[in-house]
Amino acid sequence: ATAAGKVKAIAETAISQAAGTPVEISGSFLINFGAAYDSANQKVVVVYRDVTNNSYATAAVATVDNSDNSVSFGTPVVFNSGTTTQLGASYDTNAGKIVAVYRDFGNSQYGTAIVGTVSGTSISFGSEAVYNSATSEENHIVYDSTAQKHVIVYQVGTDLAAIVGTVSGTSISFGSEAIVSANAAYGVPDVVYDSGNDKTVVFYADNGDSQKGKAKVGTVSGTSISFGTAAEFEGGTTLCISAAYDSSAGKVVVAYKDSGDSDKGKAAVGTVSGTGISFGTPVVFESGAIGQTTTSYDASTSKIVIAYEDDDNSDYGTVIAGAVSGTSITFETALVIENSATDEFGSVYDANAERVVIFYEDEGDSNKGKSVVFQAASTTTDLTTENYIGITDQAYTDGQDATIAVVGCIDRNQTGLTAGQQYFVQKDGTLALTAATPSVLAGTAISATELVVKE
């Protein structure tokens, strides 16, 4: 039913993928991007190394406008006035805080964390806290929403380590360190939280085994974390790893550069079970050579979004979306988001705007830090939970009077139904045994051809 008191057939509309215009974050030379989405304030926070400003650790609050896929930034805030590299960020939904991690050259290159509070388009920070009193490289962080803890993964020499952090107010404290791998390759790890299984998954390249791509499942208990046995997702030399969790499919997806296969861009789908993980066959998403990658999950379209440096296309910034099915993933057509050389990617999903926000270094424009908002392809429907009234068993043209089988009536013009089963209206007006979004019950089958209409 329409607002005009008439009826019409349910219609589904396809929306093509799109990207907004690249926006400068601050006009400076920026690298080492980490990003997190503050769901309470509906803002994206990006942390980075501001090379132009003495390589200070800096944060900026971003506001996304999904009407035109644009993004704007508040005034950047310095949170470490010293050379800072290899940053990461996460959001604590329990405390309502941002946590940034980094390598602090002003303090012996120690692994350091700091808690940030968003207010409007700005952010303020508490005091720094050291989580590793040694040179800490490749700092990554993820939030375990069940334990309400942060898991920080970092490299100390060839050791890949992890530690659990707990936020209290504007401070963070840490448990004891756990070793993920004693022989990890430099510069390639990532970490993701599997909320369906309440596990943290760490991805890395195993230097002790020809730099093959591997993963371990971590379990947080109190302020500690323990890891299961390593599982291989790539048998070739693995670089540029990034990962995300697909909450719709209940799978983790890892994207990477396969140096053992002409530097192709590949992705593998992982299934966590207990303290272990298994992977499907890797899928190529870029048949040419790639560089850096960043991976996010777009919950509005149930798609994995990978942004990357396309080495075979002049290092242009490129993005591609894929849908997980079982233990594999199918990719759509790649889209160029920056027509110049790029590097140093980061990304995050803005749940309010329903967009993925991508950050990168634009090497073709004085190495400025920039951002692009990506809209994955999707379909929309005019079906709602309130406007479905029933089913017609005839075809009508616009303006004709129509007979509709409404609640309690029996539609006798169906085929292939199973008696006793409930059927749901899909976004295109067809019927299926599983609910779509929105969830609208069509009725209950009483035979292969008859459906009792329900509202």
Side-chain angles (χ1 to χ4, degrees):
T2 68
K6 297 181 180 181
V7 295
K8 68 174 184 177
I10 296 165
E12 188 177 37
T13 304
I15 299 175
S16 301
Q17 66 178 3
T21 302
V23 174
E24 295 179 11
I25 298 171
S26 68
S28 297
F29 177 1
L30 310 179
I31 56 175
N32 298 158
F33 300 100
Y37 174 66
D38 182 331
S39 56
N41 292 285
Q42 298 180 348
K43 300 291 183 182
V44 165
V45 177
V46 58
V47 297
Y48 51 86
R49 174 184 178 185
D50 189 338
V51 180
T52 301
N53 188 28
N54 304 301
S55 288
Y56 288 175
T58 309
V61 177
T63 305
V64 177
D65 185 346
N66 59 12
S67 68
D68 58 0
N69 294 326
S70 65
V71 60
S72 58
F73 293 90
T75 303
V77 175
V78 173
F79 60 88
N80 184 46
S81 298
T83 298
T84 311
T85 65
Q86 298 162 329
L87 296 94
S90 62
Y91 176 67
D92 190 316
T93 56
N94 178 57
K97 304 291 183 181
I98 295 289
V99 180
V101 293
Y102 49 95
R103 179 182 181 185
D104 186 357
F105 275 77
N107 187 27
S108 305
Q109 302 184 48
Y110 287 176
T112 307
I114 196 167
V115 176
T117 306
V118 172
S119 178
T121 58
S122 190
I123 185 170
S124 58
F125 290 90
S127 300
E128 295 175 311
V130 171
Y131 56 82
N132 184 56
S133 298
T135 299
S136 302
E137 303 177 273
E138 291 301 318
N139 302 282
H140 298 264
I141 184 170
V142 71
Y143 181 64
D144 179 330
S145 56
T146 300
Q148 298 179 351
K149 306 289 183 181
H150 298 263
V151 178
I152 304 168
V153 173
Y154 51 96
Q155 198 144 359
V156 184
T158 59
D159 284 348
L160 186 63
I163 201 164
V164 174
T166 306
V167 171
S168 177
T170 58
S171 300
I172 185 169
S173 58
F174 307 99
S176 55
E177 180 182 86
I179 299 300
V180 182
S181 171
N183 208 359
Y186 171 76
V188 295
D190 202 6
V191 58
V192 66
Y193 176 63
D194 180 335
S195 58
N197 291 287
D198 186 23
K199 300 292 181 182
T200 295
V201 185
V202 179
F203 300 89
Y204 62 98
D206 189 345
N207 245 353
D209 190 13
S210 305
Q211 294 190 18
K212 294 177 181 178
K214 294 188 178 180
K216 283 188 177 181
V217 174
T219 305
V220 172
S221 177
T223 59
S224 299
I225 186 168
S226 58
F227 290 91
T229 305
E232 181 181 307
F233 63 84
E234 174 54 59
T237 302
T238 308
L239 300 170
C240 305
I241 292 172
S242 62
Y245 173 65
D246 182 330
S247 57
S248 176
K251 306 288 183 179
V252 294
V253 179
V254 56
Y256 57 94
K257 171 180 178 175
D258 185 356
S259 186
D261 187 12
S262 305
D263 293 334
K264 292 177 182 177
K266 294 184 179 180
V269 176
T271 305
V272 172
S273 178
T275 59
I277 185 170
S278 58
F279 291 92
T281 303
V283 176
V284 174
F285 65 82
E286 176 54 65
S287 58
I290 68 163
Q292 296 296 319
T293 71
T294 180
T295 304
S296 292
Y297 174 65
D298 183 335
S300 65
T301 61
S302 300
K303 291 178 182 177
I304 292 291
V305 176
I306 304 169
Y308 59 98
E309 173 189 352
D310 189 346
D311 289 354
D312 270 13
N313 187 28
S314 304
D315 296 338
Y316 283 1
T318 307
V319 65
I320 194 165
V324 172
S325 178
T327 58
S328 191
I329 183 169
T330 302
F331 287 99
E332 298 169 0
T333 303
L335 177 69
V336 173
I337 55 173
E338 180 59 70
N339 290 294
S340 65
T342 56
D343 202 355
E344 299 279 338
F345 283 84
S347 64
V348 68
Y349 175 66
D350 183 323
N352 178 60
E354 298 185 333
R355 300 288 188 269
V356 171
V357 188
I358 301 165
F359 304 94
Y360 58 94
E361 173 195 3
D362 187 350
E363 296 180 330
D365 187 13
S366 304
N367 303 103
K368 292 177 181 176
K370 294 186 177 180
S371 180
V372 164
V373 176
F374 175 70
Q375 178 180 6
S378 63
T379 57
T380 62
T381 179
D382 53 10
L383 175 68
T384 71
T385 56
E386 298 175 337
N387 66 4
Y388 166 74
I389 62 169
I391 299 173
T392 179
D393 59 4
Q394 297 183 43
Y396 297 95
T397 58
D398 287 347
Q400 278 189 303
D401 291 336
T403 300
I404 310 294
V406 296
V407 59
C409 295
I410 299 176
D411 173 50
R412 305 181 190 279
N413 199 35
Q414 298 295 321
T415 58
L417 302 182
T418 301
Q421 291 286 334
Q422 288 187 329
Y423 285 83
F424 295 86
V425 184
Q426 303 301 293
K427 292 190 289 186
D428 60 359
T430 59
L431 302 181
L433 291 170
T434 55
T437 302
S439 176
V440 177
L441 178 63
T444 302
I446 57 174
S447 74
T449 59
E450 297 174 304
L451 184 81
V452 178
V453 179
K454 293 185 178 180
E455 193 172 35

